[in-house]
Amino acid sequence: MNILDKIVANKRTEVAQAKAHTSLDQLSTREFFSRPTVSLRERLSQAGLPGIISEFKRQSPSKGIINDQVLPEEVTAGYAQAGAAGLSVLTDTEFFGGTFADFHKARLANPGTPMLRKDFMVDEYQLFEAKAMGADVILLIAACLSPDEVVHLSQKAHELGLEVLLEVHDAEELRQSLCDTVDMVGVNNRNLKTFSTSIETSVQLAGLIPDQFVKISESGLKDAETIVELYRHGYQGFLIGETFMKTPDPAQALAELQENLNRIINLNPLVV
């Protein structure tokens, strides 16, 4: 059993326990459930510039503790102030050290910024959880789901007013899982077997993703030059967590990246 299998098995157990504790009716009465969502897809597609989705991430199975000395509300508010197009907050506790409370604090601190619930979605129940905690976007990881599950969960997400980011790792996952009820396609540059990253994954898959979907590159993004190069390949969003979180001041790290992006774009206006 690989790490992804372990995470999914644990997640199914967690969901079963959550269902026994809190009903869908109870979730629907939570303060954010009726909140109108903010579109990350529109924010990225209308920007005309590379959009950074900045992530709050304490730890990961491959890296261990990345940064457990900062607060979600402070980091995410700093991200937003530094120009993040959207925010991503981990809610998986067992493997990534995230909590629902992290998301709630970040939501309160950033009422008008699109927020992705970053977790391993395997059950419709989790979509109601996401809506109840104030998420705007949910993540569906093709490697965790069958094509039929992607269709079902994405349709249900849309019924709840949530946008859908489909994450793929290779051309086969893209071919099998892409459907019309997905809003954005995220290409994860990390190899799930070796945990190594290669930007070539995004380059190779760029032309296979139809233009109706907003393209997002994920993992291994560290510098402005790489982001500009991927932007030229059609990517409009760039999800970055570890690069920022491993610094003492994640928001300042984003601000410096934005400054470098602006410098490159001003020197080469034809890039955009």
Side-chain angles (χ1 to χ4, degrees):
M1 182 180 288
N2 62 33
I3 186 62
L4 187 60
D5 292 335
K6 292 179 181 178
I7 291 172
V8 171
N10 184 75
K11 191 60 58 178
R12 293 191 187 280
T13 299
E14 286 183 357
V15 171
Q17 294 171 345
K19 286 180 177 180
H21 183 265
T22 307
S23 69
L24 293 182
D25 285 342
Q26 288 173 309
L27 288 174
S28 68
T29 63
R30 299 275 174 87
E31 59 176 315
F32 289 122
F33 196 88
S34 59
R35 167 187 168 274
T37 51
V38 181
S39 175
L40 177 60
R41 175 189 171 89
E42 289 183 7
R43 186 73 61 93
L44 293 173
S45 61
Q46 295 176 3
L49 294 168
I52 308 300
I53 305 165
S54 303
E55 187 163 272
F56 183 84
K57 179 181 184 181
R58 287 196 178 87
Q59 66 186 58
S60 74
S62 62
K63 298 293 185 180
I65 298 295
I66 298 170
N67 189 340
D68 60 358
Q69 302 300 309
V70 289
L71 300 175
E73 61 272 31
E74 293 181 358
V75 170
T76 56
Y79 280 156
Q81 187 173 5
L87 302 169
S88 171
V89 177
L90 271 294
T91 58
D92 175 82
T93 303
E94 182 71 18
F95 296 91
F96 289 86
T99 66
F100 288 9
D102 288 344
F103 198 99
H104 185 257
K105 292 173 182 177
R107 177 78 284 167
L108 288 174
N110 304 277
T113 303
M115 284 182 57
L116 165 70
R117 179 194 177 182
K118 186 78 172 291
D119 211 319
F120 297 82
M121 313 298 277
V122 296
D123 191 283
E124 185 178 298
Y125 180 87
Q126 294 168 285
L127 306 179
F128 285 82
E129 285 182 329
K131 182 67 173 172
M133 66 178 68
D136 301 290
V137 189
I138 57 98
L139 177 70
L140 298 181
I141 303 174
C144 299
L145 303 165
S146 71
D148 286 343
E149 287 174 322
V150 171
V151 171
H152 171 71
L153 292 174
S154 58
Q155 288 177 340
K156 190 62 184 180
H158 280 183
E159 289 176 14
L160 292 172
L162 298 165
E163 290 187 331
V164 177
L165 170 61
L166 174 68
E167 178 179 293
V168 299
H169 297 83
D170 54 43
E172 185 63 14
E173 287 183 359
L174 178 65
R175 184 187 67 79
Q176 291 184 343
S177 300
L178 191 60
C179 57
D180 289 341
T181 43
V182 165
D183 301 287
M184 295 159 281
V185 176
V187 176
N188 195 327
N189 300 305
R190 189 177 303 281
N191 185 308
L192 293 179
K193 295 179 180 178
T194 65
F195 288 108
S196 62
T197 58
S198 174
I199 302 305
E200 282 304 305
T201 304
S202 284
V203 174
Q204 292 167 4
L205 295 188
L208 302 179
I209 304 171
D211 290 340
Q212 72 189 81
F213 304 101
V214 170
K215 303 174 190 177
I216 296 173
S217 184
E218 309 170 4
S219 298
L221 303 171
K222 300 177 181 179
D223 57 75
E225 289 79 9
T226 298
I227 290 171
V228 169
E229 178 63 22
L230 290 175
Y231 187 78
R232 293 175 63 187
H233 279 86
Y235 289 89
Q236 295 168 293
F238 303 87
L239 197 156
I240 304 176
E242 183 183 324
T243 296
F244 298 149
M245 290 296 295
K246 68 183 181 182
T247 69
D249 189 342
Q252 179 59 32
L254 168 60
E256 292 171 1
L257 177 63
Q258 296 278 30
E259 184 177 339
N260 288 334
L261 279 172
N262 291 336
R263 174 180 54 79
I264 292 172
I265 290 169
N266 287 335
L267 288 174
N268 303 276
L270 293 180
V271 166
V272 295

